[in-house]
Amino acid sequence: MKIFTSAQIHELDHYTIEHEPIRSIDLMERAAKALTRSIVDLWTKSTPVIVFAGPGNNGGDALAVARMLADQGYPTSVYLFNISGKLSEDCAVNRQRAMDCRKIKEFQEVTDEFDPPQLTAGMLVVDGLFGSGLNKPLAGGFASLVKYINQSPAEIVSIDMPSGLMSEDNTYNVRANIIKADVTLTLQQKKLSFLFPENQPFIGKLKILDIRLSEEGIKKIEANYTLLEETDIRRRMLSRNEFAHKGNMGKALIIAGSYGMAGAAVLATKACLRSGVGMAIVHTPKLNNDILQISVPEAVLQLDHDEHHFTETVDTEDIDAVCIGPGIRQQESSAIALISQVRRAQCPIVLDADAINILASHRAWIQQLPKNVIMTPHPKEFDRLNGSPCSDSYERLSKARNLAEQLQAYIILKGHYSALCLPNGHVTFNSTGNAGMATAGSGDVLSGIITGLLARGYKHADACMVGMYLHGLAGDLAVKDIGMECLVASDLVKYLPKAFQRIND
């Protein structure tokens, strides 16, 4: 699924109007009907409705919704803000329609001073002040109105976007001047800013409404951002030959664990094996021997000469993919072994956890990474790699995207919507997963899955996408049985077979 910028959404609207063909005011009416249906589904007719409409097309949507709610018996009051004396063409049409609607309880057009209505518990505020076209923080009277609405006990439903929130970059936004919606009814598709955790308090419960924008237009408009869907994964899955044997199903090497961190090696190796690889070799310090032999009997164990840490490189001539980093810690001897291993490896490489932290403290080594390396940092790990903290998720995504292009690498920023930054500048977000996966070891499982897929023969991009999706899907399937509070990383490995079955069915 493509994720369009606000400019591209505007372009898609125009494409639909031109090629359906449909008048813009009729497209607005279509959107308003979908919005009204959703509001009617969530609130009863006894709910007093206060509609705040801005001067643009978002305000036009709100005015049309007010008229439709009033027609259905909702006690509806409307406040249209026309401070500059200039409304969009369709907003002006809906202003007249609202004024002509006798069922609207009160209609007030605000051109100067505004005495806001009392907002009480049991009321519904329909926020139609500003939509996806907003490109600067709210200030002045609109900022004051937003604060007034947020401080009230009334419930808030936002049309398309919570007013004050911008579609993409909110790095320099004033967060106190953004509507905190209980429900956001967004049109056609998720907006990029909806995928960032710091914006969740403003969005509330999100519902996407299909207003039938042109499918042809959606296909034609190029998007730099996409959201993975199950169909994307199904067509990337590799089939298993009936005459397959372990020798042609790939050999993976997992360099993981230190003394006291054997669990990271166990989780990554188990996940790798569950991803269909023919053979998994795990390289780990001597003192992890008994734990690995008992926990993962299917793996081939290769012990480092050091008892506590990873300190020596491994021959990868017959290895199809290697994962380095889970639980190895950051001893200088491990750092030297890491860069030596990266330099000599001739197969696809996945760098996770402490491998990324080591690179962050040896920044000159970053430029020595081979093309197509895969890195899987969580936000703090990426900030260390970047060299300075990022102020928000958009800035972090932008820097990760630039780094992926610069290094010709694949960078997965882990989170609720994990973001895969590809070497060509494209970003693909994962759509599976849940808050129960916020648990130690979850990242080790992801790196193991991706490594197993690479060894199986998946291309780098496909291994990342399929790996992210299956990792999150395993979490979603696990939560259905055991709930979010009790989920641990080993449950992800346990439910990985069910995730594969779901995709392969």
Side-chain angles (χ1 to χ4, degrees), residues 257-276:
S258 55
Y259 181 59
M261 294 285 286
V266 171
L267 289 168
T269 306
K270 282 188 172 183
C272 180
L273 285 163
R274 286 293 190 188
S275 300

Side-chain angles (χ1 to χ4, degrees), residues 35 38-39 43 52 58 62 124-131 149-150 155-165 178-187 194 202-207 209:
L35 291 161
S38 293
I39 293 172
W43 286 276
F52 292 114
N58 192 253
L124 173 64
V125 170
V126 176
D127 161 37
L129 293 170
F130 298 97
I149 294 171
N150 285 341
E155 291 187 280
I156 306 168
V157 57
S158 286
I159 292 176
D160 202 29
M161 298 280 297
S163 290
L165 186 68
I178 303 173
I179 285 286
K180 292 182 179 178
D182 296 288
V183 177
T184 297
L185 302 175
T186 200
L187 302 176
F194 292 177
F202 307 109
I203 299 163
K205 183 179 179 181
L206 178 66
K207 186 174 181 181
L209 306 182

Side-chain angles (χ1 to χ4, degrees), residues 54-75:
N57 282 347
N58 192 253
D61 290 333
L63 293 173
V65 168
R67 167 170 44 84
M68 293 176 189
L69 288 174
D71 284 340
Q72 294 196 39
Y74 285 79

Side-chain angles (χ1 to χ4, degrees), residues 278-293:
M279 181 184 294
I281 301 169
V282 56
H283 181 93
T284 197
K286 283 184 178 180
L287 287 178
N288 287 343
N289 177 78
D290 292 354
I291 295 173
L292 268 296
Q293 289 281 20

